[in-house]
PDB file of all heavy atoms in Angstrom:
ATOM      1  N   GLU A 327      93.153  94.346 162.680  1.00 95.00           N
ATOM      2  CA  GLU A 327      91.759  94.312 162.992  1.00 95.00           C
ATOM      3  C   GLU A 327      90.940  95.135 161.972  1.00 95.00           C
ATOM      4  O   GLU A 327      89.905  94.667 161.484  1.00 95.00           O
ATOM      5  CB  GLU A 327      91.527  94.892 164.400  1.00 95.00           C
ATOM      6  CG  GLU A 327      90.055  94.989 164.840  1.00 95.00           C
ATOM      7  CD  GLU A 327      89.925  95.652 166.176  1.00 95.00           C
ATOM      8  OE1 GLU A 327      90.747  95.326 167.089  1.00 95.00           O
ATOM      9  OE2 GLU A 327      89.053  96.517 166.351  1.00 95.00           O
ATOM     10  N   THR A 328      91.430  96.316 161.635  1.00 96.00           N
ATOM     11  CA  THR A 328      90.724  97.148 160.657  1.00 96.00           C
ATOM     12  C   THR A 328      90.705  96.503 159.279  1.00 96.00           C
ATOM     13  O   THR A 328      89.725  96.545 158.547  1.00 96.00           O
ATOM     14  CB  THR A 328      91.409  98.522 160.566  1.00 96.00           C
ATOM     15  OG1 THR A 328      91.553  99.091 161.872  1.00 96.00           O
ATOM     16  CG2 THR A 328      90.542  99.510 159.781  1.00 96.00           C
ATOM     17  N   TYR A 329      91.787  95.820 158.960  1.00 95.00           N
ATOM     18  CA  TYR A 329      91.899  95.116 157.669  1.00 95.00           C
ATOM     19  C   TYR A 329      90.908  93.968 157.628  1.00 95.00           C
ATOM     20  O   TYR A 329      90.145  93.798 156.646  1.00 95.00           O
ATOM     21  CB  TYR A 329      93.334  94.620 157.498  1.00 95.00           C
ATOM     22  CG  TYR A 329      93.570  93.672 156.343  1.00 95.00           C
ATOM     23  CD1 TYR A 329      93.658  94.130 155.031  1.00 95.00           C
ATOM     24  CD2 TYR A 329      93.680  92.288 156.544  1.00 95.00           C
ATOM     25  CE1 TYR A 329      93.877  93.239 153.969  1.00 95.00           C
ATOM     26  CE2 TYR A 329      93.899  91.409 155.523  1.00 95.00           C
ATOM     27  CZ  TYR A 329      94.002  91.885 154.232  1.00 95.00           C
ATOM     28  OH  TYR A 329      94.221  91.016 153.183  1.00 95.00           O
ATOM     29  N   ASN A 330      90.889  93.159 158.662  1.00 94.00           N
ATOM     30  CA  ASN A 330      90.000  92.017 158.706  1.00 94.00           C
ATOM     31  C   ASN A 330      88.525  92.392 158.647  1.00 94.00           C
ATOM     32  O   ASN A 330      87.709  91.629 158.162  1.00 94.00           O
ATOM     33  CB  ASN A 330      90.286  91.177 159.956  1.00 94.00           C
ATOM     34  CG  ASN A 330      91.614  90.425 159.879  1.00 94.00           C
ATOM     35  OD1 ASN A 330      92.061  90.070 158.785  1.00 94.00           O
ATOM     36  ND2 ASN A 330      92.256  90.255 161.013  1.00 94.00           N
ATOM     37  N   GLU A 331      88.216  93.603 159.122  1.00 94.00           N
ATOM     38  CA  GLU A 331      86.866  94.088 159.084  1.00 94.00           C
ATOM     39  C   GLU A 331      86.547  94.854 157.819  1.00 94.00           C
ATOM     40  O   GLU A 331      85.442  95.405 157.647  1.00 94.00           O
ATOM     41  CB  GLU A 331      86.600  94.960 160.329  1.00 94.00           C
ATOM     42  CG  GLU A 331      86.649  94.170 161.620  1.00 94.00           C
ATOM     43  CD  GLU A 331      86.469  95.096 162.841  1.00 94.00           C
ATOM     44  OE1 GLU A 331      86.342  96.311 162.676  1.00 94.00           O
ATOM     45  OE2 GLU A 331      86.495  94.527 163.960  1.00 94.00           O
ATOM     46  N   GLY A 332      87.524  94.930 156.913  1.00 93.00           N
ATOM     47  CA  GLY A 332      87.288  95.553 155.589  1.00 93.00           C
ATOM     48  C   GLY A 332      87.212  97.064 155.628  1.00 93.00           C
ATOM     49  O   GLY A 332      86.656  97.675 154.695  1.00 93.00           O
ATOM     50  N   ARG A 333      87.808  97.688 156.630  1.00 95.00           N
ATOM     51  CA  ARG A 333      87.709  99.172 156.765  1.00 95.00           C
ATOM     52  C   ARG A 333      89.018  99.877 156.545  1.00 95.00           C
ATOM     53  O   ARG A 333      89.120 101.065 156.700  1.00 95.00           O
ATOM     54  CB  ARG A 333      87.195  99.511 158.180  1.00 95.00           C
ATOM     55  CG  ARG A 333      85.794  99.019 158.446  1.00 95.00           C
ATOM     56  CD  ARG A 333      85.329  99.435 159.835  1.00 95.00           C
ATOM     57  NE  ARG A 333      85.917  98.639 160.911  1.00 95.00           N
ATOM     58  CZ  ARG A 333      86.783  99.116 161.811  1.00 95.00           C
ATOM     59  NH1 ARG A 333      87.155 100.397 161.742  1.00 95.00           N
ATOM     60  NH2 ARG A 333      87.275  98.335 162.737  1.00 95.00           N
ATOM     61  N   LEU A 334      90.055  99.139 156.140  1.00 96.00           N
ATOM     62  CA  LEU A 334      91.396  99.727 156.057  1.00 96.00           C
ATOM     63  C   LEU A 334      91.586 100.515 154.756  1.00 96.00           C
ATOM     64  O   LEU A 334      91.405 100.004 153.659  1.00 96.00           O
ATOM     65  CB  LEU A 334      92.462  98.626 156.147  1.00 96.00           C
ATOM     66  CG  LEU A 334      93.917  99.131 156.270  1.00 96.00           C
ATOM     67  CD1 LEU A 334      94.129  99.895 157.566  1.00 96.00           C
ATOM     68  CD2 LEU A 334      94.876  97.965 156.197  1.00 96.00           C
ATOM     69  N   MET A 335      91.956 101.789 154.912  1.00 96.00           N
ATOM     70  CA  MET A 335      92.241 102.682 153.798  1.00 96.00           C
ATOM     71  C   MET A 335      93.747 102.880 153.705  1.00 96.00           C
ATOM     72  O   MET A 335      94.385 103.234 154.703  1.00 96.00           O
ATOM     73  CB  MET A 335      91.548 104.026 153.965  1.00 96.00           C
ATOM     74  CG  MET A 335      90.086 103.942 154.305  1.00 96.00           C
ATOM     75  SD  MET A 335      89.085 103.403 152.916  1.00 96.00           S
ATOM     76  CE  MET A 335      89.015 104.916 151.962  1.00 96.00           C
ATOM     77  N   PHE A 336      94.313 102.681 152.509  1.00 97.00           N
ATOM     78  CA  PHE A 336      95.760 102.845 152.294  1.00 97.00           C
ATOM     79  C   PHE A 336      95.997 104.080 151.420  1.00 97.00           C
ATOM     80  O   PHE A 336      95.235 104.363 150.500  1.00 97.00           O
ATOM     81  CB  PHE A 336      96.310 101.593 151.610  1.00 97.00           C
ATOM     82  CG  PHE A 336      97.699 101.821 151.016  1.00 97.00           C
ATOM     83  CD1 PHE A 336      98.812 101.628 151.776  1.00 97.00           C
ATOM     84  CD2 PHE A 336      97.862 102.181 149.681  1.00 97.00           C
ATOM     85  CE1 PHE A 336     100.101 101.846 151.253  1.00 97.00           C
ATOM     86  CE2 PHE A 336      99.091 102.379 149.130  1.00 97.00           C
ATOM     87  CZ  PHE A 336     100.224 102.194 149.904  1.00 97.00           C
ATOM     88  N   GLY A 337      97.070 104.763 151.706  1.00 97.00           N
ATOM     89  CA  GLY A 337      97.459 105.870 150.815  1.00 97.00           C
ATOM     90  C   GLY A 337      98.827 106.363 151.128  1.00 97.00           C
ATOM     91  O   GLY A 337      99.416 106.097 152.187  1.00 97.00           O
ATOM     92  N   THR A 338      99.433 107.075 150.153  1.00 97.00           N
ATOM     93  CA  THR A 338     100.639 107.827 150.398  1.00 97.00           C
ATOM     94  C   THR A 338     100.176 109.241 150.797  1.00 97.00           C
ATOM     95  O   THR A 338      98.992 109.541 150.871  1.00 97.00           O
ATOM     96  CB  THR A 338     101.520 107.830 149.172  1.00 97.00           C
ATOM     97  OG1 THR A 338     100.739 107.945 148.002  1.00 97.00           O
ATOM     98  CG2 THR A 338     102.305 106.510 149.089  1.00 97.00           C
ATOM     99  N   ILE A 339     101.112 110.147 151.041  1.00 98.00           N
ATOM    100  CA  ILE A 339     100.746 111.463 151.577  1.00 98.00           C
ATOM    101  C   ILE A 339      99.792 112.209 150.641  1.00 98.00           C
ATOM    102  O   ILE A 339      98.876 112.905 151.087  1.00 98.00           O
ATOM    103  CB  ILE A 339     102.043 112.312 151.837  1.00 98.00           C
ATOM    104  CG1 ILE A 339     102.823 111.697 153.004  1.00 98.00           C
ATOM    105  CG2 ILE A 339     101.662 113.747 152.130  1.00 98.00           C
ATOM    106  CD1 ILE A 339     102.117 111.789 154.336  1.00 98.00           C
ATOM    107  N   ASP A 340      99.970 112.063 149.329  1.00 97.00           N
ATOM    108  CA  ASP A 340      99.065 112.767 148.418  1.00 97.00           C
ATOM    109  C   ASP A 340      97.619 112.323 148.611  1.00 97.00           C
ATOM    110  O   ASP A 340      96.694 113.139 148.669  1.00 97.00           O
ATOM    111  CB  ASP A 340      99.504 112.482 146.955  1.00 97.00           C
ATOM    112  CG  ASP A 340      99.445 111.008 146.603  1.00 97.00           C
ATOM    113  OD1 ASP A 340     100.027 110.193 147.334  1.00 97.00           O
ATOM    114  OD2 ASP A 340      98.824 110.676 145.546  1.00 97.00           O
ATOM    115  N   THR A 341      97.399 111.015 148.763  1.00 97.00           N
ATOM    116  CA  THR A 341      96.071 110.472 148.946  1.00 97.00           C
ATOM    117  C   THR A 341      95.436 110.951 150.235  1.00 97.00           C
ATOM    118  O   THR A 341      94.269 111.335 150.297  1.00 97.00           O
ATOM    119  CB  THR A 341      96.100 108.923 148.937  1.00 97.00           C
ATOM    120  OG1 THR A 341      96.655 108.481 147.721  1.00 97.00           O
ATOM    121  CG2 THR A 341      94.695 108.327 149.113  1.00 97.00           C
ATOM    122  N   TRP A 342      96.241 110.970 151.302  1.00 98.00           N
ATOM    123  CA  TRP A 342      95.759 111.438 152.600  1.00 98.00           C
ATOM    124  C   TRP A 342      95.366 112.924 152.533  1.00 98.00           C
ATOM    125  O   TRP A 342      94.312 113.327 153.034  1.00 98.00           O
ATOM    126  CB  TRP A 342      96.851 111.202 153.664  1.00 98.00           C
ATOM    127  CG  TRP A 342      96.586 111.895 154.975  1.00 98.00           C
ATOM    128  CD1 TRP A 342      97.279 112.928 155.523  1.00 98.00           C
ATOM    129  CD2 TRP A 342      95.564 111.566 155.906  1.00 98.00           C
ATOM    130  NE1 TRP A 342      96.775 113.273 156.722  1.00 98.00           N
ATOM    131  CE2 TRP A 342      95.714 112.473 156.991  1.00 98.00           C
ATOM    132  CE3 TRP A 342      94.552 110.633 155.969  1.00 98.00           C
ATOM    133  CZ2 TRP A 342      94.873 112.451 158.119  1.00 98.00           C
ATOM    134  CZ3 TRP A 342      93.681 110.634 157.063  1.00 98.00           C
ATOM    135  CH2 TRP A 342      93.878 111.522 158.142  1.00 98.00           C
TER     136      TRP A 342
END
Side-chain angles (χ1 to χ4, degrees):
E327 178 184 316
T328 310
Y329 170 79
N330 289 329
E331 294 176 359
R333 296 182 285 113
L334 188 63
M335 309 289 283
F336 165 87
T338 40
I339 292 293
D340 62 307
T341 302
W342 168 248

